[in-house]
Amino acid sequence: MKPILEVNQLNVYYGSIHAIKGISFHVNQGEVVSLIGANGAGKTSTLRAISGLVDSKGEISLSGQSLQTVKIYDRVKLGLAQSPEGRGVFPNLSVLENLQMGAYFRSDKSEITKDLEKCYVLFPRLKERRSQLAGTLSGGEQQMLAISRAMMARPKLLLLDEPSLGLAPMVVMQIFEIVKKLNSEGVTILLVEQNARMALKVSNRAYVLETGKIVMEGKGQDLLNDDSVRQAYLGV
Amino acid sequence: MQDFLQHFINGVSLGSIYALIALGYTMVYGILQLINFAHSDVYMIGAFSAYYGAMLLGFQNRPGIAALVILLFFAMAGCALLGFTIERLAYRPLRKAPKLNILITAIGVSLLLQYSGQVIFGADPKVFPSVLQDSVITEFLGVQLKVLDVAVLLVTFVMMLALHYLIYHTKVGRAMRAVSTNMNVASMLGVNSDRIISFTFALGSALAGVGSVLVGMKYPKIEPLMGMMIGLKAFVAAVLGGIGNIPGAVLGGLLMGLSEEMVVGYLSSTYRDALAFGILILILIFRPAGLLGRGGVEKV
Ligand SMILES: Nc1ncnc2c1ncn2[C@@H]1O[C@H](COP(=O)(O)OP(=O)(O)OP(=O)(O)O)[C@@H](O)[C@H]1O
Ligand SMILES: [Mg+2]
């Protein structure tokens, strides 16, 4: 297995706040890897560093290419896409326009149409609502839209920031089913979650983040059974 | 009644010019939350670009459709280039600076353009080339429909249709709307937001250029401070419609033009300019988000 994403000694500072303190991790081709941790642990900061929204120190490479000198808007062309924290759909654009934005850098029109159809098969609800403004969708629908929009870039690596946040249990189940499904179709996924139980269930491997440091790592199943993880993150 | 109709026609004609200029304020605000005070001076440069362009091609006194097209071309090109340059040199380096710094810079750019204009073009008014020969097309119920008013309406209408198509039916328009709602997400999706911002400045400025030709056509006297009052009124129009809101700018412009004509027609032309301030004060008190603006809460 070769790593798609390699992060080495990553540091993120917000002014004098040292949010990420030299973490290293990797994601292999075809894996689902999750990053779990409490509020403020630094999960979003890590993703923001990978996508280039915050300045960071350390190495980040995608398929062997260093990302530190690559502009934010060029990273998607290398195969990196994200469903950001809070979903980040464009509320005043229609569902279809949001999806088209996902394919912004692509010019293969007929392939884009095919991918659009795929999204609609995966989420029939989005097809029904395609000409509706995204801001009028329910939270669950917006999350589906955010994931679909990221998929429209045909990413090699999909970053998901708390896709289950604020959703009803049924919808949470659905979202994790989608994660599994996308992965089975060959998409490599880095998942950030506070819902540790669900995240660990669908993950091959996971890292536990605490105040900017990785304190534990292992197979999803093993962490699910680990006493300290159970106490701290699974509430048992 | 007949008076009213005449004032109405004049008001719509004047208002559509305000709308064109207001669009530039609103588009830039929509994308950067910046009030581009230099916009009114970009408008002034539009008039001078058309003036010198016409001189270059010998069109100072050859009214007709060709003159209209040529003047529009020079004004729009001059403004677009200037708007692009201002953003590039003055605003872009301050992208991450506090809002106040950028606002002060905008005022500085405005003064720079006004005074450079006085140095380069001279402070004395110049006569704008004649664009179209005015005459009465028809007269019904005692109301006159004149060539210039119809031309103003037609040109504005075509420009707005084109703008609407661009913003709502093209890829770059989609990107403009995306960048103005969430620049970070748009960049993650592959949009070079700096480029979209440049484009927005050029586009809004070009519309001011159109406005300058339409005004020059009706009131053919241009000078380096000509942008101040009309720029202020267009700005009030943008605020009235809801700054950042594109249909709002059009609505605000039309309302401004209409109320100005009505005030002039039924009260006194002394109040012509006071009206703009009156409207501004009223909106700020009663509806700070503007007619079509939403809630006034800034998105996070
Ligand atoms: N823009 C910012 N400015 C200053 N500090 C920040 C900023 N963003 C995040 N932080 C701080 O960095 C730390 C990590 O925040 P981050 O958002 O990465 O956490 P998180 O793990 O995603 O939390 P949550 O689960 O609540 O989303 C926190 O202490 C937070 O206060
Ligand atoms: Mg977070």
Side-chain angles (χ1 to χ4, degrees):
Chain A
M1 271 191 293
K2 63 176 200 296
I4 266 199
L5 177 75
E6 273 184 287
V7 172
N8 219 329
Q9 286 301 315
L10 184 72
N11 285 279
V12 173
Y13 297 85
Y14 298 105
S16 61
I17 300 171
H18 194 180
I20 301 292
K21 301 165 184 155
I23 64 172
S24 303
F25 65 97
H26 66 276
V27 180
N28 293 319
Q29 174 91 49
E31 278 188 314
V32 177
V33 170
S34 56
L35 214 54
I36 60 175
N39 286 112
K43 305 180 297 294
T44 300
S45 301
T46 305
L47 294 195
R48 287 166 70 85
I50 296 171
S51 54
L53 286 179
V54 291
D55 291 334
S56 59
K57 292 212 179 72
E59 282 165 42
I60 306 171
S61 58
L62 190 70
S63 310
Q65 177 176 0
S66 167
L67 288 186
Q68 287 292 27
T69 54
V70 180
K71 296 258 192 297
I72 307 176
Y73 52 83
D74 285 331
R75 297 188 185 195
V76 64
K77 296 171 197 160
L78 300 177
L80 187 72
Q82 174 169 181
S83 160
E85 183 172 58
R87 299 153 198 150
V89 301
F90 301 113
N92 53 342
L93 266 62
S94 72
V95 168
L96 173 61
E97 287 177 324
N98 268 276
L99 293 172
Q100 288 170 327
M101 284 306 299
Y104 182 80
F105 72 96
R106 293 172 55 185
S107 49
D108 45 344
K109 278 211 168 115
S110 61
E111 291 297 303
I112 293 177
T113 313
K114 270 189 215 162
D115 287 352
L116 210 53
E117 282 310 315
K118 265 205 218 157
C119 285
Y120 288 155
V121 170
L122 203 57
F123 300 108
R125 189 60 73 82
L126 294 183
K127 184 171 191 178
E128 281 167 35
R129 305 274 153 104
R130 63 182 179 277
S131 46
Q132 193 170 318
L133 292 185
T136 64
L137 297 180
S138 76
E141 289 162 353
Q142 290 193 11
Q143 186 59 60
M144 292 170 189
L145 178 56
I147 295 175
S148 306
R149 183 179 63 188
M151 287 306 297
M152 288 299 291
R154 289 200 177 170
K156 286 192 239 167
L157 176 67
L158 176 63
L159 309 178
L160 299 175
D161 196 342
E162 303 213 38
S164 76
L165 191 72
L167 302 182
M170 272 287 288
V171 185
V172 172
M173 296 286 285
Q174 238 179 314
I175 296 283
F176 281 100
E177 282 306 314
I178 294 296
V179 170
K180 275 199 276 188
K181 178 146 190 220
L182 291 177
N183 181 242
S184 71
E185 287 170 6
V187 186
T188 306
I189 295 172
L190 176 60
L191 174 66
V192 154
E193 265 297 342
Q194 279 195 53
N195 188 337
R197 187 188 309 275
M198 293 296 282
L200 291 176
K201 273 189 191 158
V202 300
S203 301
N204 303 93
R205 292 185 304 111
Y207 296 85
V208 180
L209 205 56
E210 249 177 50
T211 54
K213 284 190 185 135
I214 288 177
V215 293
M216 209 185 293
E217 61 176 284
K219 290 204 167 111
Q221 250 334 299
D222 295 349
L223 289 179
L224 264 179
N225 297 327
D226 183 280
D227 281 340
S228 59
V229 172
R230 283 164 72 92
Q231 263 181 13
Y233 299 102
L234 303 176
V236 284
Chain B
M1 182 61 195
Q2 151 187 338
D3 267 2
F4 178 80
L5 276 180
Q6 191 69 61
H7 293 316
F8 187 83
I9 293 175
N10 297 345
V12 171
S13 169
L14 179 64
S16 55
I17 294 173
Y18 289 154
L20 278 176
I21 305 168
L23 280 166
Y25 282 108
T26 236
M27 288 197 301
V28 164
Y29 186 87
I31 214 156
L32 282 185
Q33 284 76 51
L34 157 73
I35 293 166
N36 180 16
F37 280 109
H39 190 58
S40 55
D41 308 296
V42 169
Y43 160 89
M44 173 272 290
I45 297 290
F48 279 94
S49 307
Y51 174 86
Y52 288 111
M55 194 182 273
L56 195 72
L57 298 186
F59 264 87
Q60 290 106 311
N61 205 0
R62 282 161 62 189
I65 300 289
L68 177 64
V69 171
I70 285 168
L71 291 172
L72 281 176
F73 170 80
F74 277 104
M76 290 174 80
C79 288
L81 196 65
L82 180 63
F84 174 88
T85 311
I86 291 174
E87 191 278 325
R88 201 60 190 252
L89 298 183
Y91 302 147
R92 188 174 299 181
L94 296 176
R95 194 79 88 225
K96 287 184 179 139
K99 289 263 148 66
L100 190 62
N101 301 18
I102 310 179
L103 207 64
I104 293 169
T105 305
I107 295 172
V109 173
S110 170
L111 293 175
L112 178 73
L113 289 176
Q114 286 175 13
Y115 293 109
S116 317
Q118 292 187 332
V119 172
I120 297 167
F121 309 133
D124 296 333
K126 293 192 161 40
V127 181
F128 198 69
S130 58
V131 186
L132 291 175
Q133 210 105 53
D134 201 11
S135 64
V136 177
I137 301 176
T138 58
E139 190 169 331
F140 58 96
L141 306 170
V143 180
Q144 293 186 334
L145 204 58
K146 291 188 186 155
V147 170
L148 289 190
D149 289 323
V150 172
V152 167
L153 288 179
L154 271 181
V155 171
T156 328
F157 186 71
V158 168
M159 289 298 159
M160 286 182 183
L161 221 56
L163 181 70
H164 179 89
Y165 181 80
L166 183 90
I167 291 182
Y168 294 98
H169 299 280
T170 66
K171 189 168 170 176
V172 63
R174 200 153 62 222
M176 281 168 72
R177 285 180 289 141
V179 169
S180 73
T181 34
N182 196 333
M183 203 177 290
N184 282 345
V185 172
S187 331
M188 280 191 327
L189 296 174
V191 182
N192 180 345
S193 48
D194 278 339
R195 231 186 253 175
I196 296 293
I197 290 168
S198 291
F199 180 76
T200 306
F201 268 85
L203 185 64
S205 303
L207 291 176
V210 175
S212 74
V213 172
L214 298 182
V215 171
M217 178 166 94
K218 290 187 78 167
Y219 316 99
K221 203 184 85 177
I222 62 174
E223 42 98 13
L225 301 182
M226 65 186 275
M228 290 170 77
M229 189 48 75
I230 194 167
L232 180 78
K233 288 177 183 170
F235 170 66
V236 173
V239 174
L240 174 63
I243 192 141
N245 182 305
I246 287 174
V250 177
L251 178 70
L254 289 175
L255 286 177
M256 280 291 293
L258 278 171
S259 34
E260 185 173 324
E261 277 296 325
M262 296 301 165
V263 164
V264 171
Y266 292 105
L267 291 172
S268 153
S269 60
T270 326
Y271 300 128
R272 185 183 275 269
D273 296 337
L275 178 76
F277 295 99
I279 291 182
L280 185 60
I281 291 169
L282 288 181
I283 330 163
L284 291 181
I285 294 174
F286 294 108
R287 207 175 152 81
L291 296 175
L292 302 186
R294 245 172 286 149
V297 184
E298 271 199 22
K299 280 183 289 66
V300 267

